[in-house]
Amino acid sequence: MAVTSEISTREAEVLTLVGEYLSNAEIGARLFISVRTVESHVSSLLRKLDMPDRRALALRAAATRAASPRSAPALPKPLTSFIGRTGERAELAELIKTQRQVTAVGPGGVGKTRLALAVVADVAADFADGVWFVDLVPITSPDMCVVAGTVAMALGIGEQPGRGFDRAVLAALADRNALLVLDNCEHVRDGVAPFAEQLLAACPGMSVLATSRARLMVPFERVYTVPPMSLAGDGDSDAVALFMDRAAAGGWPPNHAMRDQVATFCERLDGVALAIELAAARWTTLGLDGLAAGLDDQLRMLAGGARADDRHRSVRAALDWSHALLESEDRMLLRRISVFMTSFPVEAAADAAGLDKGAVAAGLARLAEQSLLVVTDTPAGTQFRALETIRQYGLEQLEAAGEVTDARAGHLRWCLAEAGDLSVVRADWRARFDAAADDFRAALGWACEQPDHRSDAYGLARLLAPLMFTRHLTGESQWRYEQAAHLADDPAAAAELLRHAAAVAGCQGNGDDMYRLHNAAAEFAQRAGDSAAASIDLATAASAYRFWGKFERIPAREDLVALIAEARRLATAPTSAAPPDITSDVAAGADTAPASATPTDIARAGGVTVDPARAEAARAAIALAETVVLANPFGAPQCVTDVPAPEVVSSAERAVELMHGTRDPFAESAALDALAAAQSRAGELRAAAATARRRLRLLSTTPDNPAGTHELIDALGQATEFGLGAGDLAGARRWGRQLAEHPMLAEVGHTATSRLLVADALAGNVDDVLAHSARFLEAWHREERPARAALGAAVAGVRMIHGLRDDYDAEREWTGVLQQLGTPATDADGYQAVFDALLMLHHGQPEDALERTELTPAEARTRVTGAWLPWYLALHAEAAALTGNTTTSGDLAPARTEVTGNPVATAIIDRAEALLAKDRDQLLSTATTFEAAGCVYQSARTRILAGGAEAAEGAAMLTTLGVAPMTALVHL
């Protein structure tokens, strides 16, 4: 591919981040550009830098950055030129332009991949969104999801919590006009075929070019059989040109007069590209006569068989012959390094071969000189890789030599050491992990089937699970934690791994798996004889209503009550049933059940010794479960209760006190979550905000493991929401921004930005809302427009901002989004009423705003969700003051009481009071309050309502914000 233009500044920024192995969504979030824009830049870079795929582009970027961090990337020089095949290029290019599914088939070594790369360079301009190349060699499983995951990684599509890679890829490519090249499909056809069929059905603008030794057998497939290198023209054939070019690379170009002899030799190789290249690599040492004589023996051995197999025989003949010319130690090295799925360093090869590092380095160099290995320079050092045909040949030789177990065991040892080293995250961590991940998977797959290596399989799975989490491959991380648990010989260790798996499931938004895995952990804990741990696990599972919005099928209340009863039995009677007076209330389904057993009581039960600290932790977990299920501070619709708000708060406070005593920050965070929710439902918004901040401080020094990440993401969302309720716009925006920038949420931009959008909308930060709403909308469409009520406040806020700008087309678009979210009717009296009233007041429609906020303070207290109550009452008061409604304006006193602690809502009521009293000085004093609270829009509004010179100043402030002129019906 030729360079078409210089790399732009933005492309250089994207290239740098590709070199850090970030996904497209992560790059978009970092640069504040859309994923679609990132895709376009990556496609352009692949074309300009002549790179076949994203992995090669990342290596190029990393190497360039290491050499000169501030300079533009140097253009690469292909290792070998593409020779001949003019007719084939034209034929395959025409098929790709007219057919959506083309499969280039042929035996190994015939040149399918090189031809495909050359052809896609010719047709790239016909695809507006570019060409994407995916190498499927490293895959060991034919499962469609694994194939989709490989495609996703190659395209820079990260894993989205709670969503498989297959759906993520289809959503990302739904409106793309691009060509997807799937290289080396033969060993995973069972996964590629359904993936390609779904892709073509769901993405009408996509086309697929596959290379395979056999057709995919999918609808609409057009098969193109890749012929060998042309022998027509004798000494001027493509086959001869390839031999002459590769032989000349050794520094001793063949004499032109020998071309006819070379033609005869190439004909004996049936024109197979790999066979010709392997032979040409021996030119400088054997000459043409030596090549012909050596090959003659191999062909004689392989004589016979169907003519259709000739080209396969030619490749094998060339490989057997080239293999036979190697020294015995090099033959052993070649077959042993065939266990590596991708590139590998010298150290890895030494482990697999069981040889000295120096000897292996020399051997690898000799193999590379004979074109049996490809050598790549990377920032981490020199890497070696065998072409797939040669790797498969090496595996056959390994099997024939009876060395599979030794080589696989050596490979496994290296993987264990490398995975252990990767447990420490350094600057080059992603590149190193991505380079080794496929080998980790292959080694683990082999070890799991070997009874003698079960402990090694357990060790690698246990190492791989957190590495996958760090790489944000949360689906595979959960799977590896569960795999490690079932490989563990120690049930206590299995239980701990399942707890980690449950936390990862929480990060994915999968409440059903959280519930299942905590129950499974309890079973393993009981097998280990740890009743206290089992009690904690069951109590944690029973606290499912903390995350009731993350369930597909949330457990019934009676099921959770039964879990609490069993948790209490295990906590209080390690060897026998618990005393009836302790569990009877919960077992009967009562709304309160005292966790009254003390650690001493527990230790005495059954005459056994129990760790008081573990018993205390069990008691705390049960107390939290009782609060969550029986008092329901989170408002789960499956658990309607009539427990008075003060009692709910008291129950949660007791759980916090008990959890604090356990010195477990994650357990205490869970209790603080319940307390903040209880305080909010009780109308204590200032206290709820303080509790949420306390929770964040607690988590600020905890590790970035699954449990810590899950709690932190939830805590940031809670702190943002309750900060808004308390009028802390600066804090809410800070915490909302942390959520928007959290790497775990990079792939779900709508979820990541939703809290920040609400805070910025209330503050009137138009530019920020416009920037982040673009990311929100793109991600929401990419995830196929999910109907999630939790996103409603953000959408309503964005809609209001467009209304303030008089952008009616955008306002209608976001109204449509809001209608698709399936928001419950109760939200109409919450954020929808608040944002509607703000917009109505801006447009000089106080009567409409008054009607929209018609509830009295007493009514609003029961119908408006906690964080929105102060805003609702304050806007109601201002609308009443602007309409001169003397009856409604009498609500100012009770409204002021309700908004105590929220400085913005209080200032709005102060402004309403000033409007009623026609006190201009008092009115202007609120402007200072608004500015201090980070609410420039409300400060500008105050100045306009004041009239005079201040009105012009306020109008200028609105213009700076990007807001349309405000209609002011009253001027003081």
Side-chain angles (χ1 to χ4, degrees):
M1 304 181 206
V3 178
T4 58
S5 62
E6 294 297 325
I7 294 174
S8 68
T9 301
R10 178 62 85 188
E11 286 173 341
E13 292 174 335
V14 170
L15 182 63
T16 297
L17 296 178
V18 168
E20 294 178 15
Y21 289 78
L22 300 184
S23 71
N24 289 341
E26 290 172 319
I27 295 171
R30 187 82 64 89
L31 299 179
F32 295 100
I33 57 178
S34 71
V35 174
R36 183 86 178 246
T37 301
V38 176
E39 290 174 355
S40 297
H41 286 318
V42 171
S43 180
S44 175
L45 287 165
L46 289 170
R47 184 172 62 255
K48 290 181 178 181
L49 295 180
D50 198 11
M51 292 285 99
D53 55 30
R54 191 185 184 94
R55 178 175 290 185
L57 186 64
L59 288 172
R60 169 63 58 182
T64 302
R65 187 174 65 252
S68 179
R70 300 192 179 191
S71 62
L75 296 178
K77 296 180 179 179
L79 294 177
T80 58
S81 57
F82 185 80
I83 303 295
R85 292 195 183 274
T86 303
E88 294 95 317
R89 286 175 74 163
E91 292 169 359
L92 185 54
E94 185 60 29
L95 278 180
I96 293 171
K97 292 176 183 178
T98 58
Q99 306 292 325
R100 294 188 60 208
Q101 165 67 62
V102 179
T103 304
V105 300
V110 78
K112 299 184 295 295
T113 299
R114 289 299 302 268
L115 176 61
L117 287 172
V119 170
V120 298
D122 298 335
V123 302
D126 293 333
F127 296 92
D129 293 312
V131 177
W132 301 99
F133 184 88
V134 183
D135 184 4
L136 299 179
V137 165
I139 300 181
T140 57
S141 169
D143 185 86
M144 187 185 76
C145 291
V146 177
V147 172
T150 303
V151 172
M153 295 296 285
L155 269 61
I157 300 170
E159 185 174 10
Q160 298 176 6
R163 190 183 201 197
F165 270 126
D166 52 343
R167 288 183 55 213
V169 170
L170 296 182
L173 301 179
D175 62 345
R176 300 296 192 261
N177 172 230
L179 174 64
L180 180 64
V181 182
L182 301 176
D183 193 37
N184 293 296
C185 299
E186 55 274 354
H187 61 303
V188 287
R189 282 192 304 158
D190 290 345
V192 173
F195 171 77
E197 188 172 354
Q198 288 189 19
L199 176 71
L200 294 174
C203 309
M206 291 296 299
S207 296
V208 173
L209 170 61
T211 72
S212 177
R213 298 184 187 184
R215 60 179 301 179
L216 301 183
M217 304 297 289
V218 295
F220 312 114
E221 179 183 28
R222 180 65 182 268
V223 175
Y224 179 80
T225 301
V226 178
M229 299 294 292
S230 172
L231 298 167
D234 297 326
D236 293 325
S237 69
D238 287 349
V240 171
L242 178 64
F243 183 95
M244 300 292 278
D245 180 84
R246 301 304 190 253
W252 181 28
N255 190 305
H256 186 76
M258 300 177 64
R259 294 179 75 92
D260 288 341
Q261 293 174 270
V262 172
T264 302
F265 179 76
C266 290
E267 186 174 0
R268 297 178 65 192
L269 293 176
D270 292 313
V272 176
L274 177 60
I276 292 172
E277 294 202 16
L278 288 173
R282 293 283 184 176
W283 160 258
T284 56
T285 55
L286 297 178
L288 192 59
D289 290 342
L291 290 175
L295 187 61
D296 185 62
D297 289 340
Q298 296 298 328
L299 290 175
R300 190 178 300 114
M301 278 176 25
L302 294 168
R307 182 66 189 168
D309 295 333
D310 279 352
R311 275 178 283 140
H312 290 278
R313 291 169 49 237
S314 298
V315 174
R316 178 167 296 282
L319 287 170
D320 283 340
W321 164 71
S322 191
H323 183 260
L325 291 174
L326 297 174
E327 297 295 334
S328 59
E329 60 267 28
D330 288 348
R331 289 198 295 269
M332 182 185 74
L333 181 59
L334 179 64
R335 62 180 178 261
R336 291 202 168 191
I337 56 93
S338 67
V339 297
F340 288 95
M341 301 302 298
T342 55
S343 299
F344 55 87
V346 171
E347 296 82 2
D351 274 334
L355 297 173
D356 174 75
K357 179 180 173 182
V360 168
L364 292 175
R366 289 192 295 270
L367 292 175
E369 289 170 358
Q370 304 305 323
S371 296
L372 293 169
L373 294 180
V374 176
V375 184
T376 306
D377 288 327
T378 74
T382 302
Q383 297 274 325
F384 298 86
R385 177 176 63 86
L387 295 176
E388 180 59 11
T389 300
I390 296 172
R391 194 181 75 83
Q392 292 293 336
Y393 178 85
L395 287 174
E396 292 179 6
Q397 298 299 314
L398 191 67
E399 183 75 33
E403 298 172 351
V404 172
T405 299
D406 289 343
R408 292 286 185 189
H411 180 236
L412 176 61
R413 283 194 301 273
W414 177 79
C415 287
L416 282 165
E418 184 70 2
D421 192 42
L422 282 166
S423 297
V424 179
V425 178
R426 295 193 292 267
D428 62 345
W429 188 90
R430 276 202 177 194
R432 291 179 59 214
F433 175 81
D434 283 5
D438 289 320
D439 280 298
F440 292 159
R441 295 179 179 113
L444 181 54
W446 176 80
C448 285
E449 297 176 356
Q450 310 299 316
D452 292 343
H453 288 279
R454 182 183 175 89
S455 61
D456 289 331
Y458 163 70
L460 185 54
R462 186 167 187 165
L463 286 168
L464 194 52
L467 295 179
M468 289 291 176
F469 184 80
T470 301
R471 187 60 179 86
H472 305 147
L473 298 174
T474 50
E476 186 170 358
S477 174
Q478 179 184 327
W479 173 31
R480 297 302 181 186
Y481 273 120
E482 293 191 58
Q483 183 181 38
H486 292 288
L487 287 168
D489 293 328
D490 179 5
E496 184 62 23
L497 288 164
L498 290 172
R499 293 175 197 124
H500 288 306
V504 178
C507 293
Q508 292 191 90
N510 190 333
D512 303 79
D513 274 2
M514 289 176 64
Y515 182 71
R516 171 181 64 83
L517 290 164
H518 279 302
N519 275 288
E523 292 182 16
F524 277 97
Q526 288 188 74
R527 291 183 202 174
D530 192 342
S531 296
S535 174
I536 295 170
D537 289 324
L538 290 179
T540 304
S543 297
Y545 287 157
R546 270 188 72 203
F547 305 106
W548 62 268
K550 294 183 177 181
F551 278 78
E552 291 290 332
R553 182 181 178 277
I554 193 165
R557 181 178 185 273
E558 53 268 26
D559 293 339
L560 302 186
V561 168
L563 283 182
I564 294 174
E566 178 64 9
R568 290 184 61 80
R569 185 189 71 78
L570 289 170
T572 57
T575 59
S576 61
D581 61 322
I582 294 179
T583 63
S584 58
D585 287 340
V586 175
D591 284 342
T592 57
S596 55
T598 67
T600 302
D601 295 331
I602 296 170
R604 291 171 179 166
V608 299
T609 300
V610 178
D611 180 358
R614 298 297 295 278
E616 182 70 22
R619 194 162 76 104
I622 292 168
L624 176 59
E626 290 170 352
T627 298
V628 171
V629 176
L630 305 179
N632 192 26
F634 296 96
Q638 297 81 2
C639 182
V640 179
T641 66
D642 57 358
V643 179
E647 292 184 21
V648 179
V649 172
S650 178
S651 178
E653 287 175 337
R654 183 165 179 276
V656 170
E657 180 183 356
L658 290 171
M659 286 295 194
H660 181 70
T662 68
R663 300 184 183 280
D664 180 344
F666 303 140
E668 186 176 351
S669 170
L672 289 170
D673 181 21
L675 176 58
Q679 290 167 331
S680 174
R681 292 179 69 81
E684 301 172 9
L685 294 179
R686 190 174 182 180
T691 299
R693 292 195 298 271
R694 175 182 168 187
R695 186 182 177 199
L696 283 178
R697 288 194 298 273
L698 175 69
L699 295 170
S700 64
T701 57
T702 55
D704 293 331
N705 59 19
T709 299
H710 184 213
E711 284 294 325
L712 178 61
I713 289 174
D714 184 71
L716 286 169
Q718 185 187 63
T720 304
E721 178 182 353
F722 294 152
L724 291 174
D728 183 7
L729 292 180
R733 292 183 65 220
R734 183 170 64 254
W735 300 315
R737 190 175 296 107
Q738 288 182 46
L739 267 180
E741 295 173 355
H742 198 289
M744 191 63 69
L745 301 178
E747 305 298 331
V748 283
H750 50 309
T751 301
T753 59
S754 60
R755 303 283 188 174
L756 180 58
L757 283 169
V758 175
D760 277 328
L762 282 174
N765 299 322
V766 176
D767 288 344
D768 289 336
V769 170
L770 296 180
H772 291 106
S773 64
R775 180 185 172 196
F776 177 104
L777 194 59
E778 180 185 56
W780 184 69
H781 279 291
R782 194 155 28 95
E783 203 175 337
E784 300 171 337
R785 301 182 293 277
R788 294 181 186 165
L791 302 175
V795 174
V798 176
R799 179 183 65 171
M800 180 205 71
I801 290 296
H802 285 298
L804 294 178
R805 300 177 70 240
D806 286 350
D807 188 343
Y808 301 117
D809 289 340
E811 185 182 4
R812 280 191 293 272
E813 179 185 12
W814 285 89
T815 298
V817 174
L818 188 61
Q819 291 169 346
Q820 295 180 61
L821 291 180
T823 52
T826 52
D827 287 349
D829 291 328
Y831 61 79
Q832 289 192 42
V834 168
F835 285 126
D836 286 348
L838 282 166
L839 187 56
M840 291 167 180
L841 290 172
H842 181 84
H843 288 309
Q845 301 166 339
E847 294 87 357
D848 293 338
L850 185 62
E851 183 179 351
R852 190 69 181 84
T853 57
E854 62 182 354
L855 300 177
T856 66
E859 293 171 332
R861 197 178 305 115
T862 60
R863 291 173 54 179
V864 178
T865 51
W868 295 101
L869 181 61
W871 299 90
Y872 183 101
L873 295 176
L875 293 172
H876 172 89
E878 180 163 319
L882 288 171
T883 59
N885 188 315
T886 55
T887 301
T888 308
S889 61
D891 291 339
L892 284 182
R896 184 181 295 280
T897 300
E898 292 288 350
V899 306
T900 299
N902 183 319
V904 180
T906 299
I908 292 175
I909 291 180
D910 288 342
R911 186 168 63 194
E913 189 175 69
L915 288 169
L916 285 171
K918 300 188 183 303
D919 187 334
R920 193 169 186 275
D921 290 339
Q922 182 183 350
L923 178 67
L924 286 172
S925 70
T926 65
T928 303
T929 304
F930 289 128
E931 289 171 4
C935 200
V936 179
Y937 169 78
Q938 290 295 346
S939 177
R941 178 174 171 78
T942 295
R943 286 173 164 77
I944 293 172
L945 289 172
E950 285 79 5
E953 184 182 349
M957 292 169 67
L958 291 184
T959 299
T960 301
L961 285 175
V963 173
M966 188 184 94
T967 303
L969 301 180
V970 175
H971 291 291
L972 297 188

